[in-house]
Amino acid sequence: MTYLELSRSIEGKKLNQLTHDELAFVHLNERNNKIKNGTLSSSITVLLREIGHAKENIYSKNFLPISAAFTILDQLGFCYSRSDMQFDGDPNVSGIKKALYYFVETSMTNEDRKALYALRNSLLHTASGISTPKFSNQKSYAFILDEDSDVLIKYPSTSWNGDFNTLSEEVWTRINPVILIGIAESAVKVALSCLYKGVLKNLPGISEKEIYHRFLKLNY
C-alpha cells in the first residue's frame, strides 16, 4: 500500500480495528495520525524531533542526539524484520544490531555492528566512550567522536588491549556522529519503504497490541 492509501484507511477506523500495516504506518511515518476516536502519535516521531532540536544546540549536540539515534535503532530492531532478508547472526542479539542489518543500506560489517553496540553501551552506562569486555569474545574500545572523519567508523591500526597504561590516541576508534545520526534517521525511512513494498513483518512474539502499548499513544 502507499502512504496515501494507508493514511486514508486509518482515518475511518478505531484503534482496535487497525491492521498490522496500519499500526506500523503510524509507528514509522514521522507524523501524528488521525483515526476515528482520536490522534495516534509515535515515540519515533518524538525521538526524531528531539534529535533535530538537540543536534543544533551546542549544549545538547554531543550525547543526546546519539542516544536518541540508538534508541530509534533499538526500537526498529525490537519490532521488525524483513521477509525478503534472512538474518545471518544470533537471533537473540540486540535490537540495534538487527536494525543495522535489516534497515541500514550502507555497507556495514558484523564488526561495525559490534563496535556501534559497544559505543552505545559506553555512552549509556558511563558517557565515557570506553568499552571493556565482559566476555572473552568481545573487544575493548576507546571511542572518540570525530565529525571531520570521512567515514562512520575509523578503526585504529592497532586495537586497544583494554590496558589503560597503553591507552593513547593511536588506539582510538573514531566515530562520526553526524553519519551515525543520519543512519538512524534513514533507517526509519527504509523500514517505512519496506512496509509499502509489503516485506515488513513483526519479529516473532511481537504483536500489534504490544507495539501500540509500548510505542504509540492515543490522544482523544
Side-chain angles (χ1 to χ4, degrees), residues 4-207:
L4 189 58
E5 288 171 335
L6 284 164
S7 180
R8 287 175 175 172
S9 70
I10 67 173
E11 287 185 355
K13 293 184 178 180
K14 295 182 178 180
L15 176 61
N16 61 5
Q17 297 174 318
L18 298 181
T19 66
H20 164 269
D21 285 2
E22 290 164 345
L23 279 171
F25 173 73
V26 172
H27 188 203
L28 299 170
N29 75 28
E30 302 181 36
R31 61 186 284 267
N32 294 335
N33 299 267
K34 291 183 179 180
I35 60 173
K36 192 169 185 178
N37 54 335
T39 301
L40 273 175
S41 58
S42 165
S43 60
I44 281 185
T45 300
V46 175
L47 288 164
L48 289 169
R49 289 173 180 169
E50 293 190 359
I51 285 175
H53 175 77
K55 69 183 181 182
E56 300 300 329
N57 189 318
I58 191 171
Y59 296 110
S60 62
K61 66 182 294 186
N62 293 314
F63 293 114
L64 293 181
I66 297 173
S67 176
F70 278 125
T71 300
I72 287 172
L73 291 170
D74 211 358
Q75 196 171 131
L76 291 176
F78 178 87
C79 293
Y80 305 114
S81 65
R82 296 173 57 162
S83 60
D84 60 341
M85 291 178 66
Q86 183 70 36
F87 188 62
D88 66 352
D90 181 352
N92 297 314
V93 298
S94 69
I96 290 172
K97 291 180 181 178
K98 288 178 181 176
L100 291 171
Y101 180 82
Y102 284 122
F103 305 117
V104 175
E105 296 185 328
T106 57
S107 176
M108 185 167 291
T109 66
N110 192 45
E111 181 182 8
D112 295 337
R113 293 192 285 269
K114 288 180 178 178
L116 289 176
Y117 189 65
L119 171 66
R120 176 261 189 191
N121 288 341
S122 72
L123 296 181
L124 176 66
H125 296 304
T126 62
S128 65
I130 299 294
S131 176
T132 51
K134 290 185 178 180
F135 305 103
S136 59
N137 64 339
Q138 296 175 323
K139 293 176 61 176
S140 295
Y141 296 94
F143 294 106
I144 185 169
L145 302 179
D146 182 2
E147 291 187 4
D148 295 324
S149 177
D150 55 354
V151 294
L152 171 63
I153 307 175
K154 187 174 289 184
Y155 295 101
S157 56
T158 302
S159 297
W160 183 43
N161 61 8
D163 182 353
F164 286 92
N165 293 314
T166 66
L167 184 54
S168 65
E169 185 175 348
E170 285 72 27
V171 295
W172 287 347
T173 297
R174 297 178 179 273
I175 303 287
N176 188 319
V178 177
I179 296 176
L180 175 57
I181 293 164
I183 281 174
E185 293 170 330
S186 176
V188 178
K189 293 180 174 64
V190 172
L192 192 59
S193 72
C194 290
L195 173 64
Y196 297 149
K197 294 174 185 175
V199 298
L200 188 76
K201 64 178 185 178
N202 288 3
L203 283 166
I206 304 298
S207 68

